[in-house]
Every structure is written in C-alpha cells, then in structure tokens.
C-alpha cells in the first residue's frame, strides 16, 4: 500500500457529501474559486472538493507537519490546485495575504483531533495505548500534556477537566494527579489512565466507555489551546470570505459548537436597537444562516463512519461586508 493510499484508508471524512452540497453555491459562477480547508488533516474533505469542483483551488492549513506531508502526497494528482501551509487556522488572513489572495469563496473547518493523531500511538492522544504524554497537534512546539499535568496547580487542573472534559470527578482526579507527581513526574499515558480509573467509582465506570476519555479530551484541548484558537479563528474566517462565500464548520464538543453558534448568530442578527422603527443599513446582518441549527449525522453516515457520532454541522453565507463597528479586534495568540 502506498503512503497516498494509506492516508485515504485511514481517514473517512465526516459528512463529506453534505459539506460539498453546502459549499457548492459559493463556487458557482466563478472561473476560479478558492476554498480554505482550515483543518486539512489527511486531506479527505479537500480531495472531495477538488474532485467535485474542477474550478476550485484549495489552500489547506494544518499545524501538524505529519498530516501536511501525508495529505500533500494524497493530493498530488491535483497539482497546483492544492497548496498546503503549516499554520493554525486563526492565521488564515496572514496566510492568504502571503499567497496574494484577497478573499475566498469558502472556509471549511473539521474541528477536534484527527484520525492520524489518534492512530499514531507515540503522539499520546489515545488512552488505549501506553505512550509519552504529549498530545501536541504541532509536535514541533509548545507545552505537552506532561507539562500541564506536572506544573498546573490542583485547582487549575480541576477546572480544565471540568470545563473541557465535563468530568464529574474532576476535583478527585486533580487531587490524585498532584499527589502522584509529588512522588515522581507523570510521563506516560498509562499512568494517567490508572489514576483516572482509581478515582472514578466502579459503578460509574460500567457505562460510557473508557473512563479516561473525558480527561484525555480536556488535556488535548488545553495543550493545543483549541477553544481560544477557535474563538479567534471564527471572525477571522468570516472576514476572509467574499460576499456570497460560505463558512462550514463541523464540531464535536459542546464548547466548540457553542462558539460556532455564537459567531454565526452574531453575524446573522441585526445590531440595531430593537425599538428603532427603521433598521439602518449599517446594522443589517452580514451573514445568513444556511443550516437550521446544528445538523447531525444520519444512520447511514453513522454506519459508514463511527467518528461522526458526535458531529454538529453549521453553515453560514456572507451577505455583505462586516460593518466597521462590528469588526472583531485581533487578540494576541497564546504563547507557545
């Protein structure tokens, strides 16, 4: 099996056809349209777009250098229609400026951890195999999961587990982590799994799968600054869209979906005071919601791709430029 085939076999893109259907109107009428695949991964969604729309060029962003390499090989048949860039998706407008692209017709985000990251045991994302406590999506920089576990205080650890993992037993697990690291630093995922198991009641462990799932999710989100990055990336992505362009986002966690819903709703709602008899043009919405709420996978999709079980898909279309008074001011990125 070639490495190109390997990328395709290891990754089935979630809700691919629905994403293509939602993006299609944005590409119509353009001799050359541009899509930014903000979370390239192993290139499944991008491959689908390039195959379905001959007039589309894709700029694929990913912080994971291994993913970029695999996707690049998979997408070689499309030649110059694909450009891979090592970047985080809140850098979208900086990347487009470097490439000389003013506006794009589509932005696609498939959030969360990728199949590649879960499958590569040495990356430390999976609770099912013992490995170094890493969890960095960009393995070239930043703090690791071990850094978080061995340096954050007990209160902050409990907050992360509770907010990002929705872990009921967060205080108990955080206390046990601090006690363990006082004896020696945590280094392996197996150590963390043992701590979690020992601090979740047996009755609770009988349902819901591996009890460490929520803790690992929380750590991954913290290590990679996923929520903060998403909250910066959403307004940046909207600003990258030309009028008529569409933003399509697949999220897998309630915090992600909440951020997406909030950003899209803000753009689709008038900013004028509700008691004004006439809405000033400068306060009219600049987005139109394309999906009704968050769409979920149907039974056929679930049978084809189990990873789609928790997906929530939302899409919006830009109807006009963002008014100056509603533009989001850039915020500083978290230091690596």
């Amino acid at each position: 099996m070639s490495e190109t085939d390997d990328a395709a076999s290891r990754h089935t893109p979630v809700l691919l056809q629905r994403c293509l259907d939602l993006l299609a109107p944005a590409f119509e009428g353009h001799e050359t349209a541009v899509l930014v695949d903000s979370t390239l991964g192993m290139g499944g969604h991008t491959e689908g777009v390039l195959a379905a729309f001959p007039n589309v060029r894709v700029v694929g962003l990913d912080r994971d250098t291994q993913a970029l390499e695999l996707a690049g090989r998979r997408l070689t048949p499309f030649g110059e229609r694909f450009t891979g860039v090592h970047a985080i998706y809140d850098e979208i407008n900086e990347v487009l400026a470097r490439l000389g692209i003013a506006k794009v017709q589509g932005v696609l985000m498939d959030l969360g951890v990728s199949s590649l990251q879960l499958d590569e045991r040495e990356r430390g994302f999976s609770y099912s195999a013992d490995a170094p406590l890493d969890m960095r999506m960009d393995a070239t920089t930043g703090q690791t999961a071990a850094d978080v576990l061995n340096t954050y205080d007990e209160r902050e650890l409990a907050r992360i587990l509770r907010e990002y993992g929705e872990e009921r037993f967060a205080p108990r697990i955080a206390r046990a982590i601090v006690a363990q690291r006082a004896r020696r630093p945590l280094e392996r995922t197996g150590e963390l799994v043992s701590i979690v198991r020992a601090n979740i009641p047996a009755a609770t462990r009988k349902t819901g799968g591996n009890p460490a799932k929520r803790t690992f999710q929380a750590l991954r989100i913290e290590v990679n600054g996923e929520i903060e990055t998403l909250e910066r990336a959403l307004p940046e992505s909207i600003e990258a869209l030309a009028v008529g362009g569409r933003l399509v986002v697949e999220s897998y966690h309630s915090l992600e979906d909440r951020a997406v819903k909030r950003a899209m709703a803000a753009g689709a709602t008038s900013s004028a005071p509700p008691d004004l008899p006439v809405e000033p043009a400068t306060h009219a919405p600049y987005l139109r919601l394309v999906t009704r709420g968050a769409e979920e996978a149907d039974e056929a999709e679930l049978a084809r791709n189990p990873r789609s079980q928790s997906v929530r898909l939302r899409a919006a279309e830009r109807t006009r430029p963002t008014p100056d008074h509603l533009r989001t001011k850039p915020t500083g990125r978290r230091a690596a």
Side-chain angles (χ1 to χ4, degrees):
M1 179 182 292
S2 71
E3 288 173 307
T4 300
D5 292 336
D6 184 46
S9 67
R10 292 167 64 182
H11 175 235
T12 301
V14 173
L15 293 175
L16 174 59
Q17 188 56 53
R18 181 57 177 151
C19 290
L20 297 180
D21 292 343
L22 287 167
L23 289 166
F27 301 149
E28 292 174 358
H30 295 276
E31 183 176 346
T32 301
V34 179
L35 169 76
V36 177
D37 185 342
S38 294
T39 50
L40 178 65
M42 285 192 282
H45 283 99
T46 284
E47 182 180 52
V49 168
L50 291 171
F53 306 106
N55 65 322
V56 175
R57 170 190 176 189
V58 176
V59 177
L61 312 183
D62 210 295
R63 64 173 82 182
D64 189 326
T65 55
Q66 186 180 8
L68 279 167
E69 183 179 0
L70 279 170
R73 290 172 179 163
R74 178 180 188 172
L75 300 168
T76 297
F78 298 99
E80 295 182 355
R81 292 176 58 206
F82 170 71
T83 303
V85 182
H86 183 216
I88 306 174
Y89 52 78
D90 64 343
E91 300 171 316
I92 180 172
N93 285 298
E94 297 167 31
V95 170
L96 292 175
R98 292 201 302 268
L99 295 174
I101 300 172
K103 295 291 181 181
V104 301
Q105 283 63 53
V107 177
L108 174 65
M109 297 181 184
D110 182 18
L111 304 173
V113 66
S114 73
S115 301
L116 169 65
Q117 290 156 351
L118 286 173
D119 292 344
E120 296 290 330
R121 57 178 293 177
E122 291 304 306
R123 303 287 295 274
F125 285 95
S126 176
Y127 42 78
S128 60
D130 187 46
L133 279 162
D134 193 321
M135 300 192 193
R136 292 173 297 171
M137 291 179 174
D138 182 350
T140 67
T141 187
Q143 67 179 353
T144 66
D147 294 329
V148 171
L149 291 168
N150 291 313
T151 62
Y152 283 29
D153 64 32
E154 181 179 325
R155 189 173 185 177
E156 185 67 359
L157 284 172
R159 182 193 66 79
I160 290 166
L161 298 183
R162 182 176 59 252
E163 291 186 10
Y164 296 161
E166 299 175 306
E167 175 55 71
R168 289 168 51 200
F169 302 98
R172 187 186 299 187
I173 295 170
R175 194 176 311 118
I177 289 169
V178 171
Q180 173 65 31
R181 78 188 192 196
R183 294 187 287 273
R184 66 182 180 84
L186 280 76
E187 298 178 347
R188 310 285 298 182
T189 58
E191 297 174 275
L192 180 58
V193 170
S194 295
I195 290 172
V196 174
R197 284 188 182 277
N199 287 277
I200 292 182
T204 303
R205 295 201 305 265
K206 290 180 180 179
T207 59
N210 193 307
K213 178 180 180 180
R214 293 178 295 276
T215 292
F216 272 65
Q217 173 182 281
L219 276 174
R220 188 204 82 219
I221 290 173
E222 173 63 18
V223 165
N224 296 289
E226 293 178 39
I227 302 304
E228 302 100 307
T229 303
L230 177 61
E231 288 176 341
R232 291 190 299 267
L234 288 165
E236 289 289 324
S237 298
I238 291 168
E239 289 310 305
L241 289 174
V243 172
R246 289 190 171 192
L247 171 64
V248 177
V249 186
E250 295 176 302
S251 58
Y252 300 84
H253 183 274
S254 60
L255 288 176
E256 293 173 342
D257 184 55
R258 201 174 305 149
V260 175
K261 178 181 179 181
R262 189 163 54 240
M264 290 185 176
T269 304
S270 172
S271 61
D275 56 348
L276 283 184
V278 178
E279 178 187 62
T282 54
H283 289 270
Y286 53 91
L287 292 179
R288 178 179 69 85
L289 301 183
V290 179
T291 53
R292 296 187 62 178
E295 296 184 0
E296 302 180 23
D298 59 20
E299 291 184 5
E301 178 74 15
L302 288 169
R304 182 168 51 248
N305 190 357
R307 183 175 173 246
S308 66
Q309 183 174 7
S310 58
V311 71
R312 299 293 182 271
L313 183 149
R314 295 180 187 270
E317 180 178 293
R318 178 179 272 287
T319 55
R320 71 187 189 99
T322 309
D324 288 341
H325 71 284
L326 293 178
R327 289 184 186 273
T328 303
K329 294 181 181 179
T331 57
R333 295 187 180 89
R334 187 175 68 168

